[in-house]
Amino acid sequence: GAGPNNTVVRYTRDGTFLLNDAGYLVTRNGLFVQGWGVDPFGSIIQNGLMPINIPLGTLSIAAASSTIAIGGNLNSSGIVATQGSQHLSQTLFLDAAMTQPAVGNEDLTATTLYVDDGTNTGVSIVAFDPADLNRTITLSGVTKGGKPIPAQTFAISPTAVPGAAAFGVTLDDFCAFVEAALGLDDTVVNGQSLGGDASIVNGQLVITGNEGTVQDLAIDSSNITVNGAAAGLANPFELTKSQSADGESVRTSIVVYDAAGAPTLLDVTFVLEQRNPDDSTIWQVLVEDNDPSVYPRVISVGSLTFDANGSLVSGGTLPVQVPDGTPPFDGPGQGITIDFGSALGPLRALATTSAVSTVANDGAAPGTLSTFGIEADGRVMGGFTNGLTRVLGQLALARFANNDGLVDAGDNQYGETDRSGAAVVGSGLTLGLGRVYGGALEQANVELSQEFIDMVQATTGFSAASRVVSTADELIRNLLALGR
């Protein structure tokens, strides 16, 4: 240890260390315990001894997620998916007489679109009027398998508009926006697709959801609103649901932490796409970002194959690039890996109820240093409220060629002399310096805390036994007295 001015160096075998008011590790006499600090990555820096600081309650750390493991079961006996939900609008026409259905590529800044007024008299009204300038279309209030989808806005404009996730001038452009905003996906992976789509068919807006019951869409006319419509309609699409989604499916949410500990919530959905004659199954995996500012919503698609025994045989990991959280999301983002085959609990496909969840996440929200301990090699390990542990420093140990040559400075402190030889300083378990024993008394081969527990138990037992003897003795004396 060293004094506060670092001018006096003393050596001791008394490990009764305390924390002073500044968070430094000190001896009973207030001398600073010497050791080494760490770099920002937790590696020991042995470039000169220094006091060891343990800032309980003030040091906070977080960890960025890199691997998240999902485990559980996917019901291999479930219904194989064949269709997603489907919503159809009324027909949009290019003429007031309603003889020419729109095809989708018409320029809404230059073209008028008409719809039936709903009176069954063959009379049309204007749905989209090019005279309405600066229009946007907001998609809000939609749910997918009962879960709300964040609102997004599309600008009817040839150029980008602040606050709008996408822009374009045709209904086809709007359909592409609907697909991205609702997470409709038809990517073919391992020969399978979820079939999600939005398109103009015979003048109708057709919104087809992804396969799988947890991907079933609930959307109505009020969920699509044109802002800035004057001559046109504020809700130009009258939607009717023509079919519901089918297929065994299950969804779970995972939390991805960035380097600052900020969380991002992702939805991971599994849909049964194929059951083979040998009872092996193929499942589609869809990863969606729940951040309201993220567009497009789908950030990764994959496929899992399980054998007849329910064991995962392909697709064990899925790489995912999480958007950086700042529109227009042109940064590198955060790369993570979703692990479906973790030893902590792999994903299986057995003929029982589907249920999946996160079994491991190497990321963590910010946590505060709450405890510390010292390892055998002298490393000071800090425990944080978020469950993480980090190296805070390392104690320096010393040995001498001639211990008897040390000068006794009192209070279990010794000083170096010519007769003792120069101190050989290093970390525990190296250079013959021995090891550090926590909670132990020198020259004892027991742990003090356990010995105290045993002593209390023995004392309590002795006290109880003595009371039994005293009670028995008193009973005998009373019996003898009665006999007399």
Side-chain angles (χ1 to χ4, degrees), residues 23 50 56 67 118 150 175 181 205-206 280 298 312 340 380 396 416 440 450 455 482:
M50 63 181 66
L56 292 177
T67 300
C175 288
L205 171 63
V206 181
S280 62
V298 174
L312 185 63
F340 303 112
V380 181
E416 179 183 315
Q450 186 60 48
M455 182 181 69
L482 289 173

Side-chain angles (χ1 to χ4, degrees), residues 359-420:
V359 296
N361 187 341
D362 60 3
T368 303
L369 181 63
S370 59
T371 60
F372 73 95
I374 300 177
E375 301 287 292
D377 60 359
R379 288 180 301 158
V380 181
M381 304 297 296
F384 293 79
T385 54
N386 56 7
L388 296 179
T389 58
R390 289 291 184 272
V391 180
L392 304 177
Q394 187 171 28
L395 302 183
L397 302 185
R399 66 176 175 84
F400 297 88
N402 177 22
N403 291 336
D404 293 334
L406 295 170
V407 60
D408 188 349
D411 290 326
N412 284 320
Q413 299 173 30
Y414 299 89
E416 179 183 315
T417 69
D418 293 339
R419 291 193 306 116
S420 67

Side-chain angles (χ1 to χ4, degrees), residues 100-445:
Q100 302 178 56
V103 297
N105 62 357
E106 295 85 3
D107 186 341
L108 296 179
T109 65
T111 305
T112 302
L113 295 181
Y114 302 86
V115 294
D116 193 296
D117 69 354
T119 61
N120 296 321
T121 59
V123 177
S124 65
I125 56 175
V126 174
F128 286 91
D129 192 324
D132 293 337
L133 304 178
N134 304 317
R135 289 167 293 172
T136 60
I137 307 178
T138 299
L139 194 62
S140 64
V142 180
T143 62
K144 179 186 284 188
K147 185 167 187 175
I149 301 295
Q152 294 282 10
T153 298
F154 171 84
I156 303 176
S157 168
T159 58
V161 173
F167 64 92
V169 297
T170 69
L171 287 178
D172 288 339
D173 294 333
F174 173 69
C175 288
F177 159 78
V178 171
E179 291 179 1
L182 298 185
L184 309 181
D185 188 86
D186 60 357
T187 305
V188 177
V189 182
N190 198 15
Q192 299 295 329
S193 166
L194 293 177
D197 177 72
S199 57
I200 302 298
V201 180
N202 298 323
Q204 293 177 290
L205 171 63
V206 181
I207 300 176
T208 304
N210 298 329
E211 296 172 353
T213 55
V214 298
Q215 293 277 303
D216 190 77
L217 291 175
I219 179 172
D220 59 39
S221 306
S222 65
N223 298 139
I224 305 177
T225 304
V226 177
N227 311 294
L233 298 178
N235 303 109
F237 300 104
E238 292 291 333
L239 295 174
T240 302
K241 189 171 186 177
S242 60
Q243 67 184 33
S244 296
D246 67 6
E248 179 69 27
S249 58
V250 64
R251 176 174 58 211
T252 189
S253 294
I254 60 175
V255 180
V256 178
Y257 296 99
D258 65 14
T264 294
L265 193 65
L266 304 183
D267 281 343
V268 183
T269 302
F270 305 85
V271 180
L272 177 57
E273 287 293 314
Q274 181 177 323
R275 185 184 297 108
N276 299 315
D278 64 354
D279 287 333
S280 62
T281 54
I282 298 176
W283 298 72
Q284 193 91 337
V285 184
L286 186 72
V287 183
E288 303 172 79
D289 196 314
N290 267 281
D291 189 329
S293 62
V294 169
Y295 172 91
R297 179 178 171 82
V298 174
I299 57 176
S300 190
V301 181
S303 178
L304 303 176
T305 301
F306 297 86
D307 63 19
N309 296 319
S311 298
L312 185 63
V313 294
S314 70
T317 59
L318 179 65
V320 176
Q321 199 71 20
V322 182
D324 60 9
T326 304
F329 310 112
D330 53 3
Q334 179 181 350
I336 67 166
T337 298
I338 300 179
D339 182 7
F340 303 112
S342 170
L344 298 175
L347 197 60
R348 306 269 295 173
L350 303 174
T352 186
T353 305
S354 293
V356 296
S357 63
T358 300
V359 296
N361 187 341
D362 60 3
T368 303
L369 181 63
S370 59
T371 60
F372 73 95
I374 300 177
E375 301 287 292
D377 60 359
R379 288 180 301 158
V380 181
M381 304 297 296
F384 293 79
T385 54
N386 56 7
L388 296 179
T389 58
R390 289 291 184 272
V391 180
L392 304 177
Q394 187 171 28
L395 302 183
L397 302 185
R399 66 176 175 84
F400 297 88
N402 177 22
N403 291 336
D404 293 334
L406 295 170
V407 60
D408 188 349
D411 290 326
N412 284 320
Q413 299 173 30
Y414 299 89
E416 179 183 315
T417 69
D418 293 339
R419 291 193 306 116
S420 67
V424 177
V425 179
S427 57
L429 306 179
T430 63
L431 302 175
L433 292 170
R435 59 180 294 170
V436 177
Y437 288 90
L441 183 65
E442 186 175 7
Q443 293 185 348
N445 59 1

